[in-house]
Structure formats: structure tokens, C-alpha cells
Amino acid sequence: MIRVSELNFNTDKFELKNISIEILDDDYFVLLGPSGSGKTTLAKCICGFYKIKKGKIIIDEKDITNKLVEDRMIGYVPQNYALFPNMKVQENILFGIKMRKIKFQEIKNKFEELIKILKLENLLFRSVENLSGGEKQRVALARALIIEPKFIILDEPFSAIDIGLKKSLWFEIKEIIKIFKIPVMHITHNLDEAALLGNKIAILINGEIIQYGNQNDVFNKPKNENVAKYLGYKNIFAGKVIDTLEDKIIIQSEKLRIIANNEGNKYHKGDEVKFSIRAQDIKIIKENFPIREELKDNLYDGEIISAYFLFDTCILLVRSVVDFELIFPIYIYHRHSLFIGKKIKIGIWLKGISIFEK
Amino acid sequence: MKNKIFLVACWLILFFFVFFFLSIILSIFRFINPEKNLFNNEYLKKEIYFAIKISLITSFISSIFSLIFSLPIAYLLSRYTFPLKNLIEIILFFPMIISPVALGTMFLIFFKTPIGIFIENTFIRFVFEVPGLILAQLIVAFGVSVNLLKVTFDSINIEYEEIARSLGAKKINTFIYILLPLAKKGLLYTFLLAFARAFSEFGASVTLAGATPFKTETLPIAIYLSLSSGNIYLMAILTLISISISFFILFLLKQIKL
């Protein structure tokens, strides 16, 4: 288990503020954040490359805050893998063993097992400069794992890999980490990657962990507008709770009146709130078809004002009491015979409405 | 049209300077008379050989020492920030900028101070001696070495060293196993440029070590002596030898693909 508490670090231009996280042995922890938010800096502070100003880093109940980098036993796989170009693949993998003055015979079995799992048998005597992105990643992983680290940090491990290959490697890396049973911190800015890999997520924005918790909670209940925006939430509005109905509330924004769930009766009449409606949770209502119960509370008439087509999704802008952004698979566009200027009815999925601190 | 004018202007300037440099090199041949074979004169022949030999030996020693001393300094300057770093850099690079004669004069004055006299009496004599040549060349080449090595280290991603340390390497081992092998082309380049700088050194050497034939007479000093004694033929031959060695070093530098 690794516990970071109240970690503070600053340079002239950047600051990490009161970072506290806890990663259990079977956690696949994902540190998510936009570029420049301080993800790599945090990783480097934990590794000991940067000296922290305040805070504690504890691994397996041992305080390693003031330990030298070489004594921390933290495996680090950087973004570009940083394979030593002056060494062949095998020399790269065994570098840590050589530095720790361990004889090859002592780790021979472990080495063979590792290269088998990582499918590196045929690459051992190759120059690292001639490897593909995926191969480089596996060598970097082997090099970090051979020293049996107590914790491993993967810093944007897929940033140098083609998008097509990336998705298959997501599964692969999770399986490999599972085999070695090491707590992991995986750094990324890719939401899909985070969703697929992480059971625990922290969102780092401007050097601060804004939200931290189980994947479901973080992705479905953004704590504030910044997190919501970062997670790709669209349709964000400010409003006031004007009434409460059992487990629901009515929120009135400038032009939009909406009914939302009020889990745990958290909000009361008169509360100022911000809320967002996930673009994928605004549904187009087909004429002459029964409307699903979850959509009935919030139905609006509107007109399509623009449509954008991505690789496999369509983004639609609908002008109603306010402008809504919808996102759905492209086939829906054709199935509903949509076109710009078409008048449509939309319904908002109750669970797609997130209310957060103003 | 404007693009063409710009490019033509650039090419013209390039050709002008290439032509100019070639002209001054070729003009040396005007003073080389094949009928007047200087190599028939045993004394001059020996003097030329001595000048070449002492230049090559002292330049080699001074550039090796400058490389050895520059390595830890360039490492610190490249990898660490510390108080007064800018001031320290100015002090280290100033021998590269200051007039070599002024530098030699400073050495002469230093060796007349109690510390200087103590060094000369206890360890090694520099003033008007061969070690003085090496010292003058070393200090002039040192600025070149520190500067080039720092640039070389700067160009190597610090992440290699960070990874090496996370794998268990001590700082000295990251230096030996990672940084030095990755900097090997830069090291060779630095050595050759430091050698070239030491080889062509004149001002500081002549001031500190003097211009004693068959003792401290390096190639640049020999050129100066032949010029001042009016022996133009000897001067032309020495200059030609100097040019040939410089071209050879430049050829080697070109072979290193940084």
C-alpha cells in the first residue's frame, strides 16, 4: 500500500498543493488531468526525483519521504520510456540488477518468466532504437518490474502508441500488472483509458486533486464545474432550487426549468446550484412512440441548428429554451432521419443530470 | 521575386567569404619557393620539427586535462541550480573571452605573488618553462571544453539518469554508465575543439612561457619569431603546416555526427 499525505511541492512557476492519496495493493489507480496539471511532477516527487517541501510518502507502512531515489524501490515508466540508447534490450532490462550488484544466476528464472510474460524473447539482443512503440513499452515495463518494485508508476504509457493499437494494449497492460500484484499509479489524460483501467481515480487540475475516489463516483458525480468540464460534461447551467418533491428537486435557471434527482435530500429550496446534463443522456423522442419513464420529467421541443460527425459519433446542437448539445452514435442520425432545421422533441435522462457545488 | 533576392544575397555573402578565406590561404604559396628548399638547412629543419612536436605534445596534454577538469564542472552546471551559478559561469568562461596576452600577464603576476612563488618553488616551474605552455593552453581550452560539455549534457534527457537512479544506480554510476556513454560524441568533439584551441594558442603562451627556441617554441610562436626575424620563407612554411593541421582537425570534427 502507498499513502501520500499533504504533499506540497513548488517551483517558481508551478505548485502541487496538499496532495493526499492512498493506493491499496490491488488498486489500479489512475491519475487523470489535463496537460500541465502536474501529473508527471507528482510522479517525480513520489519517485524522489524532486525534493518535496512538505508531506509524507509511505510505502508498506515505511516512511520513504527522505529516502534516496535508488533506495525507494519504485518502478517508473516514463512517457517516452527512456530506454538507454547505449544498451541493447537485455542490458536495459538487467540494468537495475547490475546496479544492485545481484548476480544474473540469482534472478535467471525470474528474468525468463518476465520476458515470457512480456513477449520479449526475440528482442533481447536488438538495439532499443529499432523497436516499435509497443515493444519499447514492454521493455520499459520489464526493466521496471525486474527489480521487484513495491509500487509502479506508469506515466502516460500509451502516448507514443498508435490509436488503433492503443486500445488492445490497455487490456494487456492491466493483465500484466495483475500478474505481478503491484499497486500501480497510471497517469493519463485520456478519459477512455482511465475508464477502462482504473478502479480508483484522482483528478488533478492546476496542481490540486479536485476529486478522488472510486471510478463510478468520480465519473458520474463530478464535484464541481471544473471537473465536469474536464470529464467532458456539456450543457452546464447555474440555477436555484425552487421546489422539492419527495426525492426530486425543481431547479430554475435563467431560461430552463428542470427536474432532477435529489439523492440524500442534499439540496433544499433556495439553494444556488450548478448542474450539467450529459450530452449522451439527452435523448431524441420518436413521434408516436411511448416515452420512457426516466425521460418524462424533462421534455422539450427544439430545432436542430447544427450537426458534426466524428469517426463514430454525431454531435448535435438543438435550440430549445436553451441550446442543448447531444451526442449519439451516427446511425441514430440516419434512423431518425434528422437534418438541420428539423423540429424534434428531446427528453433528459434523470440520471444524466449532475448537480455540483457552485 | 523578394525570395530570390534574399537567397541571392545570402549566396553572395557565402561565396565572398569562402573566396576571401581561400585567397588568404593560397596567398601563402606566393612565398614558398621550391628552389629554396629550407629542409636542406639542418638547423631550420630541426626547429620546424621541434615546433610541431612541442605543439602537438603540449596541446594533447592540455586538452586531455581540460577535458578531465571540465567533466565534473559541466555536469554540475548542466544538472544543478545553485546560488551564484551565473557568476560562477562568468568566472569560468572569462578565460575564453579575455585577451590571451592579458591572461598570460595575469599568470606572470600571479607567479610573482607568495602563493605563486610557493607553487613554483615547491611543485613545478611554470614561468618560461614548458609546463607554462601547457598551463596557458589548458586555461584557454578549458573555457571551450566546459561550454561544449555543458551543451552536450544539456542535450541529454535527464530522464535517463532519473530512471537509472530509480533502478538502483548511485549518482556516480548514472554518470559512468549513462551520461558518459550518451555524451561520447560530444566528448570527442569537445576534445578536438579544445585541442585545436590549444594548438593555435599564442598570446598567453608567449607571455607566460616565453619564446625560447628548442624549449617553448610552439608552431604559432615559431611563426611569430620567423616573421619578426624577417624569414618570410620559414614563416610561410610554418603557416602552411599550421593550416594543414587545422584542416585535418576540422575534417575530423566533420566526421562526428552529433
Side-chain angles (χ1 to χ4, degrees), chain B:
Chain B
M1 189 60 189
K2 275 185 180 170
N3 284 345
K4 267 194 178 167
I5 294 171
F6 171 71
L7 271 183
V8 168
C10 291
W11 280 110
L12 280 176
I13 293 168
L14 173 79
F15 282 129
F16 171 76
F17 275 94
V18 171
F19 180 73
F20 178 65
F21 289 148
L22 279 177
S23 316
I24 57 172
I25 292 168
L26 291 173
S27 64
I28 297 294
F29 285 97
R30 201 170 156 255
F31 295 101
I32 292 174
N33 186 347
E35 287 166 21
K36 264 194 164 187
N37 192 347
L38 282 172
F39 285 85
N40 287 338
N41 183 328
E42 268 310 306
Y43 181 83
L44 283 181
K45 200 167 129 184
K46 276 186 180 165
E47 197 176 346
I48 292 171
Y49 282 148
F50 180 84
I52 295 171
K53 195 173 84 181
I54 193 86
S55 287
L56 289 175
I57 292 172
T58 54
S59 306
F60 182 77
I61 296 172
S62 57
S63 43
I64 286 281
F65 273 109
S66 90
L67 200 66
I68 291 169
F69 293 136
S70 304
L71 272 171
I73 295 170
Y75 172 72
L76 285 176
L77 293 178
S78 169
R79 292 298 188 245
Y80 293 90
T81 47
F82 43 83
L84 304 177
K85 188 177 173 184
N86 283 341
L87 181 67
I88 289 169
E89 281 187 351
I90 290 171
I91 293 169
L92 288 171
F93 294 152
F94 113 100
M96 211 168 63
I97 309 295
I98 192 177
S99 144
V101 179
L103 192 65
T105 311
M106 284 160 63
F107 274 128
L108 274 184
I109 294 167
F110 172 75
F111 286 116
K112 291 291 165 209
T113 62
I115 303 171
I117 292 167
F118 173 77
I119 292 170
E120 285 235 296
N121 290 341
T122 322
F123 302 108
I124 190 165
R125 296 197 89 83
F126 288 101
V127 179
F128 302 131
E129 297 288 342
V130 174
L133 273 183
I134 295 172
L135 180 64
Q137 291 173 351
L138 167 68
I139 297 303
V140 173
F142 177 75
V144 176
S145 306
V146 173
N147 218 353
L148 277 175
L149 281 180
K150 182 184 175 298
V151 174
T152 303
F153 290 157
D154 284 346
S155 70
I156 297 169
N157 190 347
I158 198 166
E159 227 159 37
Y160 293 123
E161 292 149 76
E162 290 175 344
I163 296 296
R165 290 203 65 208
S166 76
L167 293 168
K170 300 277 175 208
K171 281 187 181 174
I172 176 86
N173 287 335
T174 63
F175 186 75
I176 294 169
Y177 292 104
I178 306 294
L179 200 59
L180 283 186
L182 293 181
K184 86 178 164 208
K185 281 183 182 173
L187 286 173
L188 193 57
Y189 199 90
T190 305
F191 171 74
L192 285 173
L193 265 189
F195 182 85
R197 182 67 192 89
F199 189 80
S200 60
E201 214 302 300
F202 171 71
S205 310
V206 81
T207 319
L208 178 63
T212 317
F214 293 102
K215 189 178 180 187
T216 58
E217 189 187 13
T218 60
L219 210 51
I221 293 173
I223 294 171
Y224 173 74
L225 288 179
S226 58
L227 184 69
S228 51
S229 63
N231 193 342
I232 301 297
Y233 302 110
L234 178 61
M235 182 214 71
I237 284 179
L238 290 168
T239 307
L240 207 61
I241 294 168
S242 187
I243 290 169
S244 310
I245 294 173
S246 304
F247 267 97
F248 179 66
I249 295 171
L250 284 171
F251 170 76
L252 290 179
L253 283 173
K254 273 280 167 203
Q255 303 310 304
I256 304 170
K257 290 184 179 66
L258 284 177

Side-chain angles (χ1 to χ4, degrees), chain A residues 25-28 117 141 145 152 154 170-184 196-197 199:
Chain A
D25 286 352
D26 53 357
D27 272 343
Y28 199 107
I117 293 168
L141 206 53
L145 289 170
I152 189 161
L154 309 173
W170 287 348
F171 295 102
E172 200 178 294
I173 206 159
K174 194 164 185 176
E175 289 308 309
I176 292 166
I177 296 294
K178 244 189 218 167
I179 295 171
F180 290 93
K181 291 180 186 142
I182 302 171
V184 63
L196 188 108
L197 294 170
N199 68 317

Side-chain angles (χ1 to χ4, degrees), chain A residues 70-321:
Chain A
E70 54 267 37
D71 299 329
R72 292 191 180 207
M73 294 302 283
I74 296 177
Y76 178 59
V77 178
Q79 208 173 108
N80 58 1
Y81 314 124
L83 298 177
F84 307 133
N86 54 319
M87 299 177 198
K88 302 263 187 245
V89 169
Q90 179 162 321
E91 290 170 283
N92 260 280
I93 298 171
L94 293 173
F95 183 80
I97 297 301
K98 185 176 167 186
M99 289 301 110
R100 289 176 194 279
K101 298 193 171 77
I102 299 167
K103 282 184 186 143
F104 180 69
Q105 287 307 320
E106 290 173 34
I107 53 102
K108 196 170 175 252
N109 291 341
K110 191 171 77 184
F111 172 75
E112 280 167 0
E113 191 191 336
L114 187 67
I115 58 163
K116 200 174 157 196
I117 293 168
L118 290 163
K119 299 175 202 137
L120 292 169
E121 297 100 323
N122 299 322
L123 302 177
L124 292 177
F125 301 103
R126 288 257 298 271
S127 157
V128 294
E129 278 164 355
N130 301 326
L131 302 178
S132 68
E135 288 167 342
K136 279 183 181 169
Q137 187 197 65
R138 296 206 304 273
V139 176
L141 206 53
R143 185 179 61 178
L145 289 170
I146 192 113
I147 60 162
E148 293 185 344
K150 291 180 175 152
F151 174 55
I152 189 161
I153 299 176
L154 309 173
D155 190 354
E156 307 243 8
F158 301 106
S159 60
I161 290 174
D162 296 339
I163 194 151
L165 187 63
K166 210 179 259 192
K167 292 188 179 173
S168 64
L169 288 179
W170 287 348
F171 295 102
E172 200 178 294
I173 206 159
K174 194 164 185 176
E175 289 308 309
I176 292 166
I177 296 294
K178 244 189 218 167
I179 295 171
F180 290 93
K181 291 180 186 142
I182 302 171
V184 63
M185 178 164 130
H186 182 119
I187 296 172
T188 183
H189 60 265
N190 185 314
L191 296 177
D192 291 334
E193 194 175 315
L196 188 108
L197 294 170
N199 68 317
K200 223 178 228 179
I201 310 259
I203 294 181
L204 187 75
I205 297 175
N206 285 334
E208 253 182 298
I209 289 195
I210 308 290
Q211 194 164 358
Y212 167 60
N214 292 329
Q215 193 211 89
N216 221 15
D217 292 341
V218 174
F219 280 168
N220 295 321
K221 293 171 192 159
K223 196 177 162 192
N224 60 29
E225 190 178 350
N226 279 343
V227 178
K229 277 185 179 161
Y230 178 67
L231 292 176
Y233 279 68
K234 306 288 176 185
N235 312 307
I236 298 175
F237 306 96
K240 194 175 183 180
V241 179
I242 55 165
D243 209 351
T244 53
L245 330 147
E246 289 181 31
D247 56 348
K248 288 178 188 166
I249 49 174
I250 303 173
I251 307 169
Q252 176 69 54
S253 73
E254 198 186 338
K255 292 178 183 166
L256 175 71
R257 175 178 290 215
I258 199 164
I259 295 174
N261 283 332
N262 187 16
E263 277 175 36
N265 290 322
K266 199 175 163 192
Y267 299 100
H268 308 282
K269 194 174 171 181
D271 284 352
E272 301 270 354
V273 291
K274 277 211 165 184
F275 62 98
S276 84
I277 306 157
R278 284 208 306 202
Q280 59 269 43
D281 289 326
I282 305 177
K283 305 291 178 192
I284 297 165
I285 309 291
K286 247 182 162 183
E287 278 176 49
N288 308 324
F289 270 77
I291 301 171
R292 292 179 70 158
E293 204 55 44
E294 299 93 329
L295 298 171
K296 273 184 181 165
D297 283 329
N298 298 299
L299 295 171
Y300 305 92
D301 290 316
E303 180 187 341
I304 299 173
I305 53 170
S306 49
Y308 303 97
F309 299 94
L310 304 179
F311 180 65
D312 51 4
T313 50
C314 171
I315 297 170
L316 211 63
L317 284 182
V318 174
R319 179 149 294 162
S320 178
V321 283

